[in-house]
Amino acid sequence: MDRLAFGGDYNPEQWPEEVWAEDVALMREAGVTLVSLGIFSWAKLEPAPGEYDFDWLDRIIGLLHDAGIAVDLATPTVVPPAWFYRAHPEALPVSREGVRWAFGSRGAICHSSPAYQQAAARVATALGERYGRHPAVRMWHVHNEYGVPVLECYCDTSAADFRRWLRDRYSHLDALNAAWGTAFWGQAYGDWEEIKTPRLTPTVANPAMRLDFARFASDSALANFVRERDILHELSPGVPVTTNFMVSPTQCDTIDYWKWGREVDIVTNDHYLVAEDDRNHINLAMAADLTRSVAGGRPWLLLEHSTSAVNWQTRGIAKRPGEMARNSLGHVARGSEGAMFFQWRASRFGAEKFHSAMVPHAGTDSRIWREVVQLGAGIGALTPLKGSRTVGDVAVVWDWESWWAQRLEWRPSEDLDTRERAESYYASLYDRHLTVDFVHPEGELTGHPLAVVPALYLATAAAGANLRRYVEGGGTLLVSYFSGIVDEHDAVHPGPHPGALRDVLGLTVEEFQPLRAGEWVGLTSADGTERPDLAGDVWAETLVTRGAEPVWRYADGPAAGGPAVTRHALGSGTAWYVSSRLGRDGIDAVLAAATADAGIAPRDELPRDVELVRRRGDGGEYVFAINHTATEAKVDLAAHGTELLTGESVAGRLAVPAGTVRVVHITH
């Protein structure tokens, strides 16, 4: 496409055909450039096995193409029809409790089912043969939101597929038994057929098996995506194939997006605000940064978000005036090549009839519609930045597999929470006006002066070596507690904690000291000066420094007098360690010291909740200033340029009215 994408999911099959022409006319009025089509249309496209009805789809694609609107055409494989499940009830997934889910929702799929795989390949082939070279089709959209609402299936078919996956991974049972530590509790396997899915057991199941099953579930769905992708690559050469991710940890927790990001032609993402969070724009920024990072820093596309309220959260809180634009342009600032919505026209029936849409139930005489039209014009004005890349300031190390492993049963405290630590450190970096690039633990950190590790319970030897090289090469590393503990099989690294990270951190953990509910520990400076602003809860550790220097000590609690926060000079860099769950003030204080080590100057001149994010490309630099506050903000750009949304010239100082966005193309 030669323009940024603006539009949404379009479901014309929900409406009489006379509405279609009205829809297309309204799309032109709103500046729509792309719609996603056919996502939930399997039953209409294939009303009986092998019998296809493409006439309606031909007509709507023709209408859109004539209007200059491009199509993101879906394979509808997230919703197999009733006739399919009647013939193949075994393709419905089985829960860990052994209950087979029923037809009547969406995404109820056993990804190991041969019948499902064959039917999905068949409908994808039929669509590819008919529309693979249609000029309106600019992108293929396989399935929908893999992993939501269910990914893991515990049926006998999945068990057989799991055994095949394990054979590929371990080759021999001896290797599997060693990796899973089956000598514990006498769980050794003597035959592959003895291995089932990890259904409920009387007490805790083997954690290494559970972790491998989570990997298998993600991989089995990925294999189905790749099968459809390859069919479309053959039948529709040159047209990119994607599937819409849900990268935010608040939305999907079962997919290893680092692995999936390498298999799509363009990363696309769906994001929905945590509506009741009074600073939910931070979660949005985190999701956008993480999506861009999964894309390897390349431009990506926001394929779904909402114009206003959603209907599946506890309370459907409506967006306030201007919030839709701030949300949309916040994603664009952080790398998206446009902003798409679910959905075009609000549904009159079904489970999501109270979900907001571009054309709401109130119609075009509504605030939402007026804001949609205004946003469409704004997205159109930003076309010059297409292809540019967001500029990151610091790195945050994140790993889905480590998250899966840490949240299994019988960890030292039920209060250990990977996601909470990641969100807390991200929020502090956000408030320091630093743009984050997320990095896999074994990924490239060079070029980032600071790398933050909020939680990395599972750290491979390769990850430990990678972080050590980073510090020795001059990087500043900040690591939070309960990191580096186990390897890829959930086995404790030999020797004292923190295992894979003890050398880079210059210390060992003699004993974990989980705190009681509601218990806090105070901290002092290394010289004994009390710091009332510093305190931790949930967790403490008895540390032994082995090269690291204590910066703060515990003033009280089970580790009283011992180091709480340390700094280790190693090679040309430094590694910081935080052994308790610090509150906001404590995290800010640690980050102030670590950013000083990294040579990152404070950005105190920017107001709180005013974002300043940069994209850079062949056409120059584009500065996004997003004001989430109720008062006008002044931003110093130290440059001249043109504000793209208003066309105004900017000379050094930019005024950003309350609740608005400004995008400046820097010219000199």
Side-chain angles (χ1 to χ4, degrees):
M1 294 178 61
D2 57 4
R3 298 170 291 174
L4 296 181
F6 181 67
D9 287 18
Y10 184 34
N11 299 290
E13 64 271 29
Q14 295 181 14
W15 302 94
E17 191 160 344
E18 56 265 25
V19 176
W20 298 0
E22 177 188 344
D23 280 335
V24 172
L26 289 175
M27 288 177 188
R28 288 177 60 87
E29 180 182 340
V32 167
T33 61
L34 179 70
V35 296
S36 300
L37 201 60
I39 296 171
F40 303 110
S41 303
W42 196 342
K44 187 169 181 62
L45 287 167
E46 190 179 6
E51 298 179 11
Y52 297 102
D53 176 9
F54 291 124
D55 290 346
W56 69 276
L57 191 55
D58 290 346
R59 293 195 296 278
I60 192 62
I61 290 178
L63 282 172
L64 292 165
H65 183 54
D66 290 345
I69 298 168
V71 172
D72 165 36
L73 186 57
T75 66
T77 50
V78 68
V79 284
W83 59 255
F84 171 80
Y85 285 121
R86 183 181 181 187
H88 301 285
E90 79 285 355
L92 287 162
V94 172
S95 72
R96 195 171 176 226
E97 293 79 8
V99 176
R100 190 176 294 279
W101 300 105
F103 171 76
S105 178
R106 63 165 184 155
I109 296 163
C110 169
H111 284 282
S112 296
S113 165
Y116 169 75
Q117 293 168 1
Q118 293 162 12
R122 188 173 66 237
V123 72
T125 299
L127 284 163
E129 288 175 343
R130 191 169 188 92
Y131 303 107
R133 298 178 186 274
H134 195 294
V137 176
R138 305 296 179 86
M139 185 166 69
W140 286 97
H141 180 313
V142 169
H143 202 271
N144 182 71
E145 296 177 348
Y146 281 97
V148 178
V150 60
L151 183 71
E152 294 180 348
C153 174
Y154 293 83
C155 73
D156 291 341
T157 302
S158 293
D161 201 19
F162 185 38
R163 289 190 289 272
R164 285 190 290 271
W165 184 90
L166 292 170
R167 283 177 180 268
D168 289 342
R169 186 174 179 87
Y170 294 108
S171 299
H172 303 288
L173 270 176
D174 288 346
L176 179 142
N177 281 313
W180 285 7
T182 57
F184 187 79
W185 281 358
Q187 295 173 345
Y189 296 98
D191 190 289
W192 290 102
E193 293 302 313
E194 295 168 358
I195 301 173
K196 310 297 183 183
T197 58
R199 288 193 184 178
L200 287 183
T201 51
T203 186
V204 175
N206 186 312
M209 181 189 194
R210 293 281 306 282
L211 179 58
D212 265 349
F213 192 71
R215 291 173 174 137
F216 156 75
S218 179
D219 284 355
S220 62
L222 179 58
N224 285 342
F225 165 76
V226 168
R227 184 179 299 107
E228 293 188 49
R229 179 204 66 190
D230 289 350
I231 290 169
L232 296 170
H233 276 169
E234 180 179 352
L235 297 174
S236 189
V239 180
V241 181
T242 190
T243 185
N244 46 337
F245 294 170
M246 295 197 79
V247 168
S248 173
T250 59
Q251 293 177 183
C252 182
D253 59 2
T254 56
I255 297 290
D256 182 357
Y257 286 115
W258 289 125
K259 182 177 288 188
W260 281 62
R262 297 192 294 267
E263 299 294 342
V264 296
D265 296 329
I266 177 173
V267 167
T268 62
N269 192 53
D270 297 352
H271 181 264
Y272 293 95
L273 294 178
V274 182
E276 292 200 73
D277 184 347
D278 60 357
R279 299 184 75 207
N280 52 32
H281 49 274
I282 299 179
N283 173 271
L284 184 154
M286 181 177 177
D289 283 344
L290 187 50
T291 305
R292 182 184 71 255
S293 302
V294 165
R298 293 181 295 276
W300 54 279
L301 179 59
L302 175 67
L303 207 53
E304 284 186 28
H305 72 315
S306 66
T307 57
S308 189
V310 301
N311 72 316
W312 40 263
Q313 293 184 6
T314 306
R315 296 172 184 84
I317 308 246
K319 293 183 179 181
R320 298 190 176 185
E323 191 173 0
M324 180 207 308
R326 292 198 306 279
N327 292 166
S328 302
L329 298 179
H331 286 286
V332 175
R334 295 175 187 271
S336 177
E337 293 285 77
M340 305 278 285
F341 294 92
F342 180 85
Q343 59 180 327
W344 165 252
R345 184 182 285 272
S347 300
R348 291 185 52 243
F349 40 75
E352 294 186 284
K353 56 183 170 287
F354 298 119
H355 192 296
S356 61
M358 298 175 77
V359 181
H361 290 298
T364 55
D365 186 15
S366 63
R367 175 181 65 84
I368 286 180
W369 173 252
R370 287 186 286 273
E371 290 193 15
V372 163
V373 173
Q374 184 178 16
L375 177 61
I379 293 287
L382 299 183
T383 295
L385 60 76
K386 192 177 188 308
S388 62
R389 297 192 178 199
T390 301
V391 179
D393 299 307
V394 299
V396 168
V397 173
W398 171 259
D399 185 34
W400 277 275
E401 290 194 359
S402 179
W403 185 21
W404 298 343
Q406 181 173 317
R407 68 186 183 191
L408 292 171
E409 302 93 338
W410 287 11
R411 299 324 186 202
S413 171
E414 66 176 10
D415 298 319
L416 292 165
D417 189 335
T418 299
R419 197 188 95 189
E420 180 277 329
R421 282 293 81 183
E423 290 174 343
S424 293
Y425 274 91
Y426 183 92
S428 289
L429 291 166
Y430 176 95
D431 280 343
R432 301 185 77 81
H433 302 284
L434 297 172
T435 301
V436 169
D437 291 326
F438 287 87
V439 180
H440 185 273
E442 297 176 18
E444 182 58 62
L445 290 164
T446 303
H448 295 94
L450 173 66
V452 178
V453 184
L456 191 62
Y457 163 73
L458 187 159
T460 63
N466 184 49
L467 295 176
R468 177 171 182 142
R469 283 193 302 272
Y470 167 72
V471 174
E472 289 176 332
T476 300
L477 181 70
L478 172 58
V479 178
S480 187
Y481 59 89
F482 203 53
S483 294
I485 308 301
V486 300
D487 66 12
E488 60 269 33
H489 305 299
D490 196 45
V492 173
H493 285 285
H497 304 311
L501 303 183
R502 60 175 173 255
D503 291 341
V504 68
L505 296 175
L507 55 81
T508 57
V509 178
E510 185 174 292
E511 192 171 12
F512 298 140
Q513 301 285 0
L515 304 180
R516 293 175 174 83
E519 184 180 3
W520 287 79
V521 289
L523 276 64
T524 66
S525 298
D527 61 5
T529 304
E530 290 190 17
R531 293 289 304 269
D533 57 324
L534 305 180
D537 69 346
V538 169
W539 191 259
E541 293 173 348
T542 301
L543 300 183
V544 178
T545 55
R546 303 185 186 278
E549 296 292 332
V551 178
W552 299 333
R553 293 183 179 274
Y554 288 106
D556 48 35
V565 176
T566 63
R567 179 181 183 273
H568 184 214
L570 181 66
S572 302
T574 56
W576 290 75
Y577 185 62
V578 179
S579 65
S580 182
R581 190 176 83 162
L582 299 182
R584 178 58 188 270
D585 290 344
I587 293 175
D588 286 347
V590 172
L591 280 174
T595 53
D597 263 0
I600 299 172
R603 298 177 180 177
D604 299 333
E605 74 281 0
L606 288 172
R608 189 172 191 254
D609 289 327
V610 175
E611 300 181 40
L612 198 66
V613 183
R614 299 174 186 271
R615 288 182 60 153
R616 191 173 294 149
D618 294 340
E621 185 165 270
Y622 304 88
V623 180
F624 285 73
I626 306 173
N627 185 357
H628 297 283
T629 77
T631 58
E632 182 178 86
K634 302 285 189 180
V635 176
D636 289 323
L637 297 180
H640 293 202
T642 302
E643 204 288 303
L644 296 179
L645 300 176
T646 62
E648 297 174 357
S649 295
V650 177
R653 192 164 176 81
L654 174 68
V656 188
T660 66
V661 181
R662 292 291 179 259
V663 185
V664 179
H665 181 200
I666 302 297
T667 53
H668 62 277

